Amino acid sequence: MSDKKKVAVIMGSDSDFPTVSGAVKTLDAYGVPFEVHIMSAHRTPEAAAEFSANARKNGFGVIIAAAGKAAHLAGVLAAHTTIPVIGIPIKSSTLDGLDALLATVQMPKGIPVATVAIDGADNAAILAVQILALSDDELAAKLEADKVAMKNGVAAKDEAIQEKVRELIK
C-alpha cells in the first residue's frame, strides 16, 4: 500500500460532477491518489459522518466537499474529522451560488472549512495538493514548477501585447 495520502472528493449530488471534474483532473495531473463519492449532508448524513470519521485511518490527507444550495456537506464532514476539509460552493439556479458560499464559509469555531470560490474546483484541488506538499517534496517541486510556468506565461503574454501595441501605433 502506498504511503501517499489520498484526497477524497465528495459531492452532494451527481449534478455537481461537471464542476467537480476540474478537481479530479487537477489531482490526476499532480499524480495525487484520490477517490470520488456522492454523499449528502441531508439524505445520507450517517454515511458522510462515518466516511469522514474514518478518513485519516483510511489514508486520506484532505477532503474536498462540493455542494450547492444549503451546502452543509463540508461542515458535516469537517465536524467528524481532524483532517483539512476544503469546500467548493456550487452555483445553483436559485441564488447563483451565493447561498452555497455563505453556508460553506460560515462555520462555527472549532469546525473550520477552507472555502474556495463558487465553482472553484481547480483551486480546491491545488489547495489540497499544497496541503499534502507540506510533507511531500515531490509535490512541492511540481507546485513550484507550475508557479514558474505561470509567471513565464504571463511574461510571454505581456511581450506579445507589447508587440501588438508597437504595431498598432506605427
Side-chain angles (χ1 to χ4, degrees), residues 42 49 80 100 112 119 122 137 152 162:
H42 304 111
H80 293 93
D119 289 349
D122 291 5
D137 291 340
N152 292 341
Q162 298 309 315

Side-chain angles (χ1 to χ4, degrees), residues 148-168:
V148 170
M150 282 191 286
K151 180 180 95 172
N152 292 341
V154 170
K157 288 178 182 183
D158 181 61
E159 181 54 41
I161 204 71
Q162 298 309 315
E163 183 60 33
K164 286 183 180 183
V165 169
R166 287 190 288 273
E167 289 296 318
L168 180 66

Side-chain angles (χ1 to χ4, degrees), residues 74-159:
V76 166
L77 295 169
H80 293 93
T81 191
T82 58
I83 67 172
V85 175
I86 303 167
I88 305 171
I90 300 291
K91 183 177 179 179
S92 66
S93 60
T94 311
L95 296 171
D96 285 335
L98 182 59
D99 49 348
L101 174 63
L102 294 175
T104 305
V105 77
Q106 294 292 340
M107 295 303 302
K109 182 179 178 180
I111 312 295
V113 170
T115 307
V116 295
I118 296 168
D119 289 349
D122 291 5
N123 273 350
I126 292 168
L127 180 55
V129 173
Q130 289 176 330
I131 291 167
L132 296 177
L134 291 171
S135 60
D136 185 328
D137 291 340
E138 182 182 332
L139 281 179
K142 288 178 182 179
L143 287 164
E144 184 61 36
D146 282 351
K147 291 280 186 176
V148 170
M150 282 191 286
K151 180 180 95 172
N152 292 341
V154 170
K157 288 178 182 183
D158 181 61
E159 181 54 41

Side-chain angles (χ1 to χ4, degrees), residues 15-78:
S15 64
D16 300 330
F17 188 68
T19 298
V20 169
S21 64
V24 171
K25 289 176 186 174
T26 300
L27 292 169
D28 183 61
Y30 277 98
V32 172
F34 60 88
E35 291 182 17
V36 179
H37 299 283
I38 297 173
M39 294 177 196
S40 171
H42 304 111
R43 296 179 189 98
T44 61
E46 297 88 358
E50 190 271 331
F51 181 89
S52 61
N54 292 302
R56 182 182 301 277
K57 178 180 75 174
N58 290 328
F60 292 96
V62 180
I63 297 172
I64 296 174
K69 298 192 179 192
H72 295 131
L73 182 59
V76 166
L77 295 169

Side-chain angles (χ1 to χ4, degrees), residues 1-19:
M1 183 172 129
S2 172
D3 61 346
K4 284 195 175 267
K5 294 289 185 186
K6 300 182 287 185
V7 174
V9 180
I10 311 296
M11 64 194 105
S13 168
D14 61 346
S15 64
D16 300 330
F17 188 68
T19 298

